[in-house]
Structure formats: structure tokens, C-alpha cells
Amino acid sequence: MGNREGRDQYELDATSEHGGKKNDKKGKKGKKDRNLDELKKEVDLDDHKLTLDELHQKYGTDLSRGLTVARAAEILLCDGPNCLTPPPTTPEWVKFCKQMFGGFCMLLWIGSILCFFAYGIQAAVDDEPVADNLYLGIVLAAVVIITGCFSYYQEAKSSKIMESFKNMVPQQALVIRDGEKNSINAEEVVVGDLVEVKGGDRIPADLRIISSNGCKVDNSSLTGESEPQTRTPEFSNENPLETRNIAFYSTSCVEGTACGIVIKTGDHTVMGRIATLASGLEVGQTPLSIEIEHFIHIITGVAVFLGVSFFILSLILGYSWLEAIVFLIGIIVANVPEGLLATVTVCLTLTAKRMAHKNCLVKNLEAVETLGSTSTICSDKTGTLTQNRMTVAHMWFDNQIHEADTTENQSGATFDKSSSTWAALARVAGLCNRAVFQAAQESVPILKRGVAGDASESALLKCIELCCGSVTAMRDKNPKIEEIPFNSTNKYQLSIHRNANPSESRYLLVMKGAPERILDRCNTILIQGKEQPLDDEMKDAFQNAYLELGGLGERVLGFCHMPLPDDQFPEGFKFDVDDLNFPTEKLCFVGLMAMIDPPRAAVPDAVSKCRSAGIKVIMVTGDHPITAKAIAKGVGIISEGNETVEDIAARLNIPVGEVNPRDAKACVIHGGKLKDMTSDQLDDLLKHHTEIVFARTSPQQKLIIVEGFQRQGAIVAVTGDGVNDSPALKKADIGVAMGISGSDVSKQAADMILLDDNFASIVTGVEEGRLIFDNLKKSIAYTLTSNIPEITPFLFFIIASIPLALGTVTILCIDLGTDMLPAISLAYEGPESDIMKRQPRNPKIDKLVNERLISMAYGQFGMISAVGAFFTYFVILADNGFLPMRLLGIRIEWEDKSLNDLEDSYGQQWTYEQRKVIEFTCQTAFFISVVIVQWAILIICKTRKNSVFQQGMKNNVLTLGLFEETALAAFLSYCPGMDVALRMYPLKPTWWVCALPFAVIVFIYDEIRKVIIRRSPGCWVEKETYY
Amino acid sequence: MEQNSTAGGATEQYHGNYLSNPAVTAEPRREEEEEEEEEDDDEMPAERKNKKSWGQVMKELKLFWWNPETHAFMGRSGKSWGLILLFYTIFYSFLAAMFTVCMYALLMTISPYTPTYRDRVVPPGVMISPRVGGFDIAFNASDPKTWAKYTETLNAFLTPYNDVEQERKNVACTPDVYFKQDDREESAERKACQFKRSSLGNCSGIDDPSFGYSEGKPCILLKMNRIIGYLPGEGTPVTVSCEALKGDVDRFGAAEFHPYDFFNLMYYPYYGKLTHVNYTSPLVAIRFPQVTTENPLTVQCKLNGKGIKSDSMQDRFLGRITFTLQIGA
């Protein structure tokens, strides 16, 4: 695992063995870490268990008159305003500096400073110092500044988590103080205040409900479940998040009214804790930046090693200390790949753009690769895996379970609609239903239409509309006479309609509700349109069907009806819903309908692709375990044939405790259970189960799960759409938010946004991420290759005292000129094999730049390239009269400006300037030779294993790159004025071809190497040369 | 080495292990390390790496240097080192052989008498003697110590021009025509024309061993750079002229030239070191008898003739030479 200190800092405190030591060292940091740790614990509230009297005692609030104004002011002073405190923000200039001085930039800065230093030495010693080092220093600094500004600009757009939270907070609140209702600024609400909310309001603080009237709240931002939940004063669950009598800060009241006592304000509220957690979490390095850091280590190692060796060598050869230091600096700087930073940035940007086309919007450039390294995906259920739309999935009538079509585009299964029982069931479902389509949506597909009403009723409405045509028409034909809405005591909903069917009675009673309650009220059942007595056999069948559907995680509703006999209920009969002057028992059972939020169509395929790509897909949801498990099975997160401990227990008919947990590959963990687990137990769990579903998890637990996986060394992607997911999204190596359904907060916390909300887009992301990792390797291998021909001239200048074969200007022409586009073009290279069939890379072993890549690029390709270029160099000098033997040791004379009659091998005499022209011509030729060998290197680097003939030359950008670098080289050589501007001179045509044999050799050599690797996998050649 | 059969490039295989057994994969890492990189801690594969203490780093470095368990030196076992060194020995031998072959072919195709291209060495540069350190000639006429170095240099420079030497080795040629010897075989030795020291008169150092320095009327020798096959002046001899550029220009007076103020055509063309063994470059000795200032004078002497370039901005020694004269009493 790379250096992830940042990530660890607060974890350490949690584990006792490290905690103490660490805290001593950084007291301030430790304190902050403890705070975050505190936030990660579950919400600890007991106010929901208190009676109203106890509440009164605890908060000193008069339950009808509220706090006194004076008391409220006192508390406000003490607790501070009810608002979310933003985390201490890093000033912009610090962020800018981070971009300027981070990682690779530092390497270039050091190089630049060394250059200035070397120039300083030269200037002090020499009257007319060579300005090369000065220029190089300036260019290096310019490269860093430009790329730094670019990445700063890229990053500047990101993270505004707190701002997005603030948008959720209400402005005003209606409080009762001194018995008077006041609308005050929500920030002034204090603990103990009596607050009134009504439909449409946002809850101004965490409230303990003391009275309510049909109040429903939308807790989706907290739990991710979009269905409105009832709020009443009664205590219904131990878990404060699930109990009915607490309403949470910033959630909205959908309908009804309620009155409650404020129990928490501001940052102490449940939402406040999530906000603080999400914005306060420190995000570690991305896997790519770890790789780049590792790369810098290698490069620096090689540079320092070479530099020091030649420093010592030059001292031995009799150079002065100052000269040796200038050489040392020169060698170190020559090792810095100036263009690489820009290349990597551009490659990532290109991939980010390509991903954006495929609906993955990447916010942080380095995150492009992260998805490719991902080994675990923790996915939220609702909205990500599922359609976030209740849909009728099954029906039970005629003693048979029928499957309804749940796909988004109605391509799924259909069932037999001819049975008259179905007609009756559809009629009950359509009539006993208060949901209506919103106006003016005729052109919208039924499933996508907006509906006013709760989720189940909408599901029924859409189902009936789909199967049987317009429900509105049905309702018009069978006008509603009376109705009893659903309430939690009787658990049914009933309505009486005028019957449009003349063959039946005048009035029709329809009822739906909890299946067992409905069944209790029935004594007959409709089979094939015939009423039959409800015998025990039938009841058993009902039970089985009910259990089966319930086991699928579906919400089941029972339906019954009764044609009210005309004799008892004549025309104009006054139905009284309070006195119940009509039968509500001995009805006729029609059937069951079961609803579920069905998985998105593309998800199962995407999950299986992830699986074949070696990525664990984990579901983390706030939903019920049964539903979660059903969906998990539906989408393949729990694959077919894999059982949980409970499944095994049920199959073998033994208690759960007797099952060896190791036998079960899959497991479903309830949040309540997770709460009691130690981190060791969690580690154990994560290690030994491959298919895990976490249900009923709180936002904090999602975070803990992510951290658990990260402890295992996994690179974790988290997908989510809700506010509740934001801490996990932030903590994950890559957080993926949903573009359409996702909340603003989640998008801010994420690194990537799926514009089409489609989980399948993640697969594309993984593919692109893996591809860019491979291609970056190729790109780096290509770029590093030219490093050797860039360094060796200087080395030979020192040890053999020959004229310098490649100058600073020409080095920069290679690094920032000709190498640039070809290196970038490798980002467009297609995959060599099916990259989705292999395992995710192991961040510990599979490095971006490993010593094999260095060995290949430096030790082999680079050397061939250098030899080729040196050959050209000797050819030119020999052609002009300086034979190789003459050159050895010529340096002192050659560089002597006053020596203007230097004799060559033929006895001709050269002025200083004349031989410098030759030298610069050689440098131009050396440069062009490098470009020529780089042609072959570029083609070689297209593949790491396949032959170029297998891969083809389909990459047009690369082909363009080949022509571009050649054209650029020719331009630099032949353009008039270049001799003055860059000291590059035109070459004779024969000098172009000198390096060609070496280009051919390097190509043949590498093809042979690849053949060996392909023929005998695992052989020595592969072990030593496959990067 | 052997136990790590999956090491190296077989990345696919690592991944297979990785999910199920991270402890196994930590092992092959041993040989993945290079140079100063830190090793990961095998005992805690699941732990995120924390900032290591200095001692830990040293311990790891030591282990990396020599691992007694695997007998690995710098992360490689003896056999592994042997193989990789053998590989690189063969690889570089091959490369060296290829380079040698190329160089051999190059030297085979290159003429030993005439370089392939001479376009960079024309037009000729100009040099003077004495050149001691730079192009400043500063001395006090009355103090021999200040000019001894110049006369010594001149004497040494003129040794090959001694009359005896010239008469013995070289021939007397017909003046004012090029002495072309192209009719001979390329490898045949060419004759060189005599240039006698005595012809330099006051500047020969024969009569006045101080070359005029003792009188404050110093001599310098000017020569044109040798270029194979070059015919300066295209038929008319290249002349030499001098002028003062800076200083008390009025007190420069006029220069004297010996033997003439031009380079006689008979000394050209030059046929190269290999065949034109005894060739001695013709000289123009310049004497400054009328300098009456003790302040530094910047003097420029240049060649005049067809094909001679003496106004190059880049090359201040092309067809001209600039030096300073400071003649004290």
C-alpha cells in the first residue's frame, strides 16, 4: 500500500496501539481526529424514549407555551446559532501552492533550482558563462508553473460540500415562545424550543414530536428511502433514526402538521453530524498520485545514482570540484523528464473527456484512473441499482403467482390477462386507490409520469394503467361514493363505488390493505371469476404465496371486494363511514399484489461484468435486509447458488449458530449487528465473504464499511445518491454520485458523476480507467526512452572529452517538442486484450512504473537509441574532417574560444565558431536520430505483449504523431533562422538515414522479445522485461 | 527466486491470489524492489503504511541490501543477479559489436585524403602569432621580461620556416600562380612551396631576435587557416590590411607588411596532412612601427579578396582578427 498517511491520521486514534503516540506528536491534529471519530459513532439519542413529562423536565419547556424569550436567548448564547459550521477552509493560495509544489512539480522545481545554482557557479568562474543552464532552469520553472496553473484551474471547481448542505437548511422557523407563535430566523432556534411545522416546511432542527396531525416527512436525504414517513408522538423503535417521534433537521415535511421540541441544533443534529463528517474527512492520495510518487522515487534514485557516480568519476578524471558539481547537477537535471508532467495531465484530460462522452463526468483528473484500480464497489441500492420507483412485480390470484413486467421499457414477462379474476383485481386496485396522474403528461410514457400519491398506490395505478388502459376512465365509470382512507389502526383502505357493470350489484365495495388483515375479513375467494369458500387449503395457499412474495422483499397488499346486494343497499343509500352501516367482513378475497423497487435493466449485466473483472460488488443500503437481499439476488450481487448463513441454516434445518460462517460466501448484515462489531470482526467479515449486503446502515456505518475495505488494501468505489452517502462518497477512493437523482451534496462529495444514473456506466469507467493505466505505462516508457540518449552525450563529454553531442536546447526540443504528441497519442491506444477479463491491479505489486519498465526504457531501448544517435554524430564529424580518434580528449581545445586554428584529422584549420557550427549540426543530427529511433520506440510501445502486427496501426493520432514529430524535426533543422534562434542547422540527407538501422534493430529486438513472452508465459524474459 | 514462480510479469496470476490471500503476494514483492525504495512490511499487509521511523527505514534498507533469508543482495538472489548481468553483458556486447561494425563501415567509406564535406570550414579563418593567453599584446619595450614570452612564441612558431629547413624539404615554386598538383594519384605525396623565414625581413627574428619588441615596434605574424583544395582569391592574391578600431586611432600610424601584404597564390591549394606533409602555411608579418601611444589600441587585420568573408557577425575570426596592442616605453 502506498503512502496514505492522510487517510490514516484519524483512524490511528481508533486503534489503541498507535493512538497515544500519534496524539502526542500532533496534538491539534489529534483533537480534530477525535472529533471526527466521535462523529463516526452512531447517533446517541434517547429523547424518543422519554415521555412528554420527562421531556418537560429535561428541557424545561412548557409544552404549550414553549420557552420564555429570555431563556431562549440564554440558550442561544450558550449553544450558538442553529446552523452548520463550515470546516476551516484552506486559503486559495495554499491550494495553489499545493498544486505548484506537489509531487512531480517538486522534482522539476529542484531541477530548476539546481540549474540556476549551476549557472551561478559557472558565472562566478567564467567571464562568459554558457547560458544553457540558465535557460534550462527557466524552462523547467515555466513547465511547472504552466502545468501547476492548469491543474489548479482543474481542481478549483471542486468541493463545495458545505455550501450544498447549507442549501438544504430552512431559512425560517415557526416557534412558540411565551405562548406566542413567532416566525424567526431558523438560526435562532435553540434546544428546547417548541416548533411547529406544516406541509412544505423544512424541519428547522432535530425535533421530538409531541403532537401531530397526519404529518409525513421525507427522510430521503438521511436514509436514501424516498417514501414519506409518518410522524407521530409515539415511540415506535429503539433506533432514533427509525422511531416515528423524531423529525430531523433539514428533512422536509410533506404533509400534515406537527409540533415538537427541539432536541438538537446545528452541528449536533443528525444532519449536522453528516455534514461535518462529509466535509471534514481528509481524503488520501489517489492511487495514481501514489504511483506517480513511486515513479518520482525511481527517477530520482536513478538520477542521483548516475549523478553521484559521474561526480566521483569526474573527480578521478581530474576535473575541479566546481566542474564536478556542475556536471553532477547537469546529470541530475538531464534525468528529469520535463515533458512527462504535461503528457500525463493531457492523457488524463483526454480520458476524462472521453468518459464524459460516455456519461461519466470526472471531477478530479486523477480519479480517471482510480476507477480502473478499483477492487471493490460499494453501491447504494435505491436509485443506483434500482429504478427508485415502486413497481408491481408479482400478483397472486387464481391461486397462482403471476409475474408482472418490471423493466423500464416494458420488454419483460407478461402474464395471462384473460382471467376474470384479474379483471376484478385490476378493478379493485384501480378504484381503491387515491393516486392520480399529474396533469398534462399524455405524451410521457406511463412509467415515467408523475403521480400524486404514495409510492404503493402509484405503483398500482401505473400497473393498472399499463395492463387495462385508462384508470381515470374506470374511475369515471365507477364513481366513488364513500371512502375510508388508510390508517395505521385498521390497516386497510376501503371505498364504495357505483358499479358500472350492469350484471353485478349496484354498489361495489372495494378494499385493500395488509394481506393478513384483508384475509381475516374474507370468507370467500375469487377463483377463475367464481366465488369459492375460503377453506383452510386456500388459506394455506394464501400463506405460502404471501410468504414467498414477502421473501422476495416485496411489499404485499391484499385486495378484496364485495358487490353490495341491491336489496340491502338500494339506490341512494346513505353510506356512513363512521357508523360502518355496510359490511366490512365476510368479503370476497380477490388477490395479492406485490410491489418492489425493481433493479435497473442494465445492472445485472454490469454487475457480472464487474465480477468478471475481479471487482467485488457490495450493496450498502438503508433499506430492509429482506428487500436488500432480494434486489441483491436480482442483480447478481449475491450470485445464484451462493447462500448466506441463514440460507444454509434454513436448508439444513439447523440453528443459525451451528453453521460454520466460512461455508457461506454471501452474507446480509443488518446495521444493528454492524454497530456492535469491532473493527477486527468487520475485517474478518469483509475478508471471508465475497458477496456482502449491508442493510439498514446509517451514514456513519457506510463510512465504516468503506474504511474496512480500505484497511484490507482494497481500492473502494462508492456509488450513492443521497446526502446520507456523502461521508462514504468522500472517504472512498472514488465516490460516484448520480447525476439525475443524486442530491447536490452527494455530487459535491463525489469524484465522479454518472450523468445517466446508470450503474452500467461504471463499467465503462472501469474499462477506461484500466486502459489509461496501461497506456500511461506505455507513454512513460516511450518518454523515458529518450532520456538515455539525452544523458549519454553529457556523460561522454565528461569522460571521453568529446564535443557535446546533444545540447540543452535540443534536449528540450525532444522532451517538450517531438516527444510530446507521440506520448500523448499513446493515450488513444486501444486495449491489447479484454481488459475487463482480468483482475484489478494490485496496488502493492502492479506499479505504474516498475524497475522492469526502467530497465527496458533506459537499459535497452534507450541504449540502442543512444548508440544510433552517436553513430550519426560520428558520421557528421568524420564527414567534416574530425575522425573519431581525433575527437577523443579534444574537449579543452575544442572549447577554447581563442583557439581559432584547431586542426582536424586532415590538417584543415577551424575557427571556434566554425567548429561550433559543426557541433550544433551534430546536435541537430543527434536530435533527429533520436526522433528516428523514437519512431520505432513509439510503435514498440503501442503494445506490451502483442505484436504490432496483431495490434495494427489503427491509432490515427499515433500515426499523426509519427508524422508530426518528423515534420517538427525537419522544421527545426531546415527552417531559415533556426541557426540563430535555436542553433540548429540543416542536415544533409545522408545524415538522416544513419540512425535507421538502429530503429530497425530496436523494432526487431522488441518483436522477438514479445514473441517469447507470448509463447512462453512466465518465462525469464517475461519476468525481467514485461512492464 | 524459484519459489516465486509468479514473480515478474505474470501480473494476472498475482491478482488471482490477491483477493484471497494477500500474505502470499507480499512475498514476490521482494524482488520487485529496486534501489532506495522502501519495502512494505510483510507482517502487516492489511495495515496502511504509516510514517516509518528512521530506524525502521534503516532496517528495511539493510534487509534490502542483504536479505539473509532469501540470500538476496539488493533484492535479487545470486542466480537472479547472474542471469540479469549475463543478459546485459550479451545485450551490450551485441550493441557494441553493431556500433563497431557501423563505425568500421564509416571509416572504410571515408577518404583519408579529403574530407567528404568542406563547406563548413570555408571561408578561411585568420590567426595571429604570438597568441599568449588571448589576443592582447601588451609590453614595455624597455623591459624584456614583458615581451620575452612573445618573442619565444614567435621563435618557436617560425622554426619550421627556417631557410635551411625550407630549402631541404620544399621546392621553390613559380610565384603568382596556384601550385596545382592534381594530376598525381590521390595518395601520392605533394610538394610544398618554400616559405623562407628570411623573407620576413625585420620580422624574421634573424637580424632582430626581439622581433622589434625591444624598440616598441612589434611584429605579429598572420596566417590564413588551411583548407584542403581551397583557392583563395580566385586568381588574385588575398591581401591583408590593418586598422585601428578603438583607442588613439590617430596615433596608430601605418603597418608594415613582410614579405608582402598578400598571400602568394603559389602556396595554394593545400592537399591535406597525409599527402602534403611538409606544407607550411604562408605568412604575412605585420609590423607596427608608428604606434605612438601607450594606451591600448584595438587593431583589426583582415583579409581582402574574392570569396573571403570578413564581416561575419557570428564568427569574429572569419577573414579578420582583432587584437589589442599596448606598447609601453
Side-chain angles (χ1 to χ4, degrees), chain A residues 784-936:
Chain A
L784 287 187
T785 300
S786 57
N787 245 5
I788 286 294
E790 282 165 17
I791 297 168
T792 40
F794 196 52
L795 302 186
F796 281 102
F797 174 72
I798 296 172
I799 53 172
S801 285
I802 58 173
L804 191 60
L806 193 68
T808 311
V809 173
T810 28
I811 288 181
L812 291 177
C813 282
I814 297 175
D815 280 347
L816 300 175
T818 54
D819 264 6
M820 218 53 160
L821 184 63
I824 292 167
S825 76
L826 284 168
Y828 288 96
E829 196 56 39
E832 282 177 64
S833 55
D834 192 350
I835 42 179
M836 293 306 280
K837 286 270 155 57
R838 66 182 195 213
Q839 298 291 307
R841 75 183 177 93
N842 181 344
K844 277 188 194 163
I845 294 162
D846 210 355
K847 292 291 185 187
L848 180 66
V849 174
N850 48 31
E851 68 288 356
R852 293 183 298 279
L853 189 149
I854 297 285
S855 155
M856 291 301 294
Y858 277 10
Q860 296 163 39
F861 302 154
M863 286 298 176
I864 298 179
S865 174
V867 169
F870 263 109
F871 176 60
T872 316
Y873 163 87
F874 283 120
V875 166
I876 292 180
L877 281 170
D879 273 352
N880 279 290
F882 290 93
L883 298 183
M885 293 70 85
R886 175 77 181 94
L887 292 172
L888 290 178
I890 206 176
R891 191 179 72 94
I892 304 279
E893 292 175 284
W894 187 275
E895 300 295 328
D896 184 351
K897 283 178 189 157
S898 67
L899 181 64
N900 281 287
D901 53 354
L902 181 72
E903 246 181 73
D904 63 16
S905 311
Y906 294 87
Q908 305 188 99
Q909 292 168 324
W910 295 72
T911 67
Y912 174 78
E913 198 52 39
Q914 283 173 331
R915 55 186 191 259
K916 277 290 158 182
V917 170
I918 291 295
E919 181 182 326
F920 285 120
T921 309
C922 284
Q923 295 188 355
T924 312
F926 199 99
F927 154 70
I928 283 175
S929 300
V930 171
V931 169
I932 285 168
V933 182
Q934 288 288 75
W935 291 345

Side-chain angles (χ1 to χ4, degrees), chain A residues 151-318:
Chain A
S151 6
Y152 171 73
Y153 171 73
Q154 288 279 342
E155 303 281 317
K157 296 175 268 179
S158 69
S159 214
K160 292 196 173 67
I161 297 181
M162 227 4 154
E163 281 83 343
S164 57
F165 267 105
K166 282 190 175 154
N167 292 337
M168 299 169 40
V169 173
Q171 295 293 318
Q172 296 288 316
L174 192 65
V175 297
I176 302 171
R177 285 181 186 168
D178 285 335
E180 282 178 36
K181 285 186 187 177
N182 290 314
S183 179
I184 60 166
N185 195 327
E187 286 194 1
E188 289 161 24
V189 171
V190 296
V191 172
D193 256 336
L194 207 55
V195 173
E196 258 186 28
V197 287
K198 58 179 191 307
D201 286 352
R202 284 202 182 260
I203 315 278
D206 281 0
L207 298 182
R208 162 71 160 88
I209 304 292
I210 53 171
S211 66
S212 77
N213 185 8
C215 176
K216 278 192 172 180
V217 292
D218 177 6
N219 270 357
S220 60
S221 54
L222 263 188
T223 58
E225 306 310 314
S226 54
E227 204 166 321
Q229 290 166 350
T230 319
R231 284 294 169 246
T232 60
E234 75 212 28
F235 163 57
S236 62
N237 197 312
E238 282 282 331
N239 185 342
L241 287 175
E242 286 179 45
T243 184
R244 285 225 178 112
N245 55 4
I246 291 185
F248 297 101
Y249 185 38
S250 87
T251 59
S252 58
C253 176
V254 184
E255 57 184 59
T257 57
C259 182
I261 291 180
V262 175
I263 51 173
K264 297 272 187 212
T265 57
D267 291 332
H268 305 288
T269 58
V270 173
M271 188 59 79
R273 289 163 60 114
I274 295 177
T276 319
L277 197 54
S279 56
L281 277 176
E282 284 193 40
V283 185
Q285 282 176 297
T286 60
L288 189 64
S289 63
I290 292 169
E291 291 307 320
I292 287 178
E293 199 166 89
H294 177 251
F295 169 49
I296 292 171
H297 282 168
I298 293 188
I299 286 286
T300 323
V302 173
V304 171
F305 171 76
L306 269 180
V308 171
S309 324
F310 278 85
F311 175 72
I312 295 167
L313 195 66
S314 49
L315 283 181
I316 294 169
L317 287 173

Side-chain angles (χ1 to χ4, degrees), chain A residues 1-5 7-8 12 18 294 297-298 301-302 305 375 614 709-714 838-847 851-852 855-856 859-860 863-864 867 870-871 874-875 878-881 883-885 896-901 903-911 913-914 917-918 921 945 980 985-986 988 990-991 997-998 1001 1005 1020 1022-1024 1026, chain B residues 1 4-12 14-16 18-19 22 25-26 29 31-38 40 44-51 76 80 83-84 87-88 91-92 94-95 98-99 102-103 106-107 110-127 131 133-135 223-228 270 272-274 281 314-315 317-318:
Chain A
M1 225 45 252
N3 309 317
R4 297 200 168 180
E5 303 86 2
R7 223 174 258 281
D8 288 9
L12 290 171
H18 296 292
H294 177 251
H297 282 168
I298 293 188
V302 173
F305 171 76
S375 53
F709 277 114
Q710 286 177 339
R711 268 202 303 280
Q712 309 278 312
R838 66 182 195 213
Q839 298 291 307
R841 75 183 177 93
N842 181 344
K844 277 188 194 163
I845 294 162
D846 210 355
K847 292 291 185 187
E851 68 288 356
R852 293 183 298 279
S855 155
M856 291 301 294
Q860 296 163 39
M863 286 298 176
I864 298 179
V867 169
F870 263 109
F871 176 60
F874 283 120
V875 166
D879 273 352
N880 279 290
L883 298 183
M885 293 70 85
D896 184 351
K897 283 178 189 157
S898 67
L899 181 64
N900 281 287
D901 53 354
E903 246 181 73
D904 63 16
S905 311
Y906 294 87
Q908 305 188 99
Q909 292 168 324
W910 295 72
T911 67
E913 198 52 39
Q914 283 173 331
V917 170
I918 291 295
T921 309
K945 198 175 223 166
V980 182
Y985 290 86
K988 305 210 185 288
T990 45
W991 296 338
F998 293 88
I1001 285 289
Y1005 166 71
W1020 183 86
E1022 175 165 348
K1023 273 190 273 176
E1024 292 293 348
Y1026 182 71
Chain B
M1 185 70 188
N4 303 323
S5 56
T6 59
T11 32
E12 260 87 61
Y14 292 143
H15 300 313
Y18 151 63
L19 284 175
T25 48
R29 172 105 173 115
E31 25 173 84
E32 308 285 323
E33 298 288 340
E34 204 200 340
E35 303 196 356
E36 77 299 307
E37 295 163 60
E38 319 90 317
D40 276 307
M44 308 196 302
E47 283 291 314
R48 294 282 160 98
K49 195 159 68 179
N50 307 317
K51 267 271 175 265
R76 281 179 185 275
S80 168
L83 277 171
I84 196 80
F87 168 76
Y88 271 108
F91 184 84
Y92 288 140
F94 170 77
L95 210 54
M98 172 146 179
F99 183 69
C102 285
M103 290 304 278
L106 166 72
L107 295 178
I110 271 184
S111 155
Y113 310 107
T114 319
T116 320
Y117 302 111
R118 276 162 290 166
D119 52 345
R120 291 292 185 206
V121 74
V122 285
V126 172
M127 268 299 265
R131 180 180 69 95
F135 299 101
K223 70 177 176 66
M224 192 160 51
N225 278 352
R226 287 198 294 261
I227 297 163
I228 294 176
Y270 173 55
K273 191 158 97 173
L274 209 58
S281 296
Q314 283 87 36
D315 195 345
F317 294 91
L318 215 56

Side-chain angles (χ1 to χ4, degrees), chain A residues 103-120:
Chain A
F104 213 100
C105 298
M106 213 54 225
L107 185 66
L108 295 183
W109 275 124
I110 292 170
S112 169
I113 290 165
L114 286 179
C115 278
F116 290 128
F117 186 64
Y119 178 71

Side-chain angles (χ1 to χ4, degrees), chain A residues 282-533:
Chain A
E282 284 193 40
V283 185
Q285 282 176 297
T286 60
L288 189 64
S289 63
I290 292 169
E291 291 307 320
I292 287 178
E293 199 166 89
H294 177 251
F295 169 49
I296 292 171
H297 282 168
I298 293 188
I299 286 286
T300 323
V302 173
V304 171
F305 171 76
L306 269 180
V308 171
S309 324
F310 278 85
F311 175 72
I312 295 167
L313 195 66
S314 49
L315 283 181
I316 294 169
L317 287 173
Y319 288 96
S320 72
W321 276 92
L322 279 178
E323 277 176 308
I325 288 175
V326 173
F327 291 161
L328 169 77
I329 294 171
I331 292 171
I332 292 178
V333 174
N335 262 294
V336 176
E338 291 89 356
L340 202 62
L341 182 58
T343 308
V344 170
T345 316
V346 172
C347 286
L348 291 177
T349 313
L350 288 173
T351 308
K353 277 201 162 171
R354 194 157 48 189
M355 282 164 91
H357 276 297
K358 296 179 180 173
N359 290 321
C360 295
L361 189 71
V362 182
K363 283 170 60 190
N364 170 2
L365 266 192
E366 284 177 351
V368 167
E369 189 278 324
T370 313
L371 207 50
S373 323
T374 298
S375 53
T376 306
I377 297 176
C378 293
S379 178
D380 183 36
K381 179 181 78 73
T382 317
T384 312
L385 299 174
T386 66
Q387 303 169 15
N388 197 12
R389 178 167 56 207
M390 270 294 171
T391 310
V392 175
H394 292 96
M395 283 163 262
W396 180 76
F397 58 84
D398 291 344
N399 196 11
Q400 211 178 343
I401 292 179
H402 300 268
E403 201 174 320
D405 184 6
T406 55
T407 55
E408 287 122 316
N409 53 3
Q410 290 301 302
S411 57
T414 48
F415 57 96
D416 177 23
K417 289 176 187 156
S418 59
S419 164
S420 56
T421 318
W422 162 242
L425 183 60
R427 186 173 63 180
V428 180
L431 294 178
C432 187
N433 189 334
R434 294 169 49 150
V436 285
F437 284 115
Q438 283 161 5
Q441 294 192 88
E442 284 70 23
S443 56
V444 184
I446 293 170
L447 282 174
K448 295 223 162 64
R449 287 185 200 166
V451 176
D454 79 14
S456 325
E457 294 207 322
S458 312
L460 293 174
L461 176 68
K462 285 178 180 173
C463 174
I464 305 304
E465 182 93 7
L466 271 176
C467 301
C468 313
S470 171
V471 174
T472 323
M474 185 203 288
R475 286 182 190 164
D476 287 345
K477 272 190 262 171
N478 304 278
K480 193 187 286 176
I481 311 291
E482 268 312 334
E483 107 181 299
I484 304 176
F486 183 88
N487 69 49
S488 50
T489 30
N490 48 22
K491 288 195 158 57
Y492 66 76
Q493 177 182 356
L494 175 154
S495 58
I496 296 166
H497 296 258
R498 183 174 287 277
N499 197 341
N501 186 347
S503 62
E504 288 181 342
S505 62
R506 187 177 296 125
Y507 293 108
L508 179 72
L509 181 147
V510 289
M511 185 194 257
K512 78 161 190 260
E516 63 278 12
R517 296 293 184 91
I518 298 293
L519 193 77
D520 288 346
R521 292 174 183 277
C522 295
N523 60 358
T524 57
I525 181 165
L526 206 62
I527 301 287
Q528 300 297 349
K530 302 276 184 310
E531 239 182 284
Q532 287 179 9

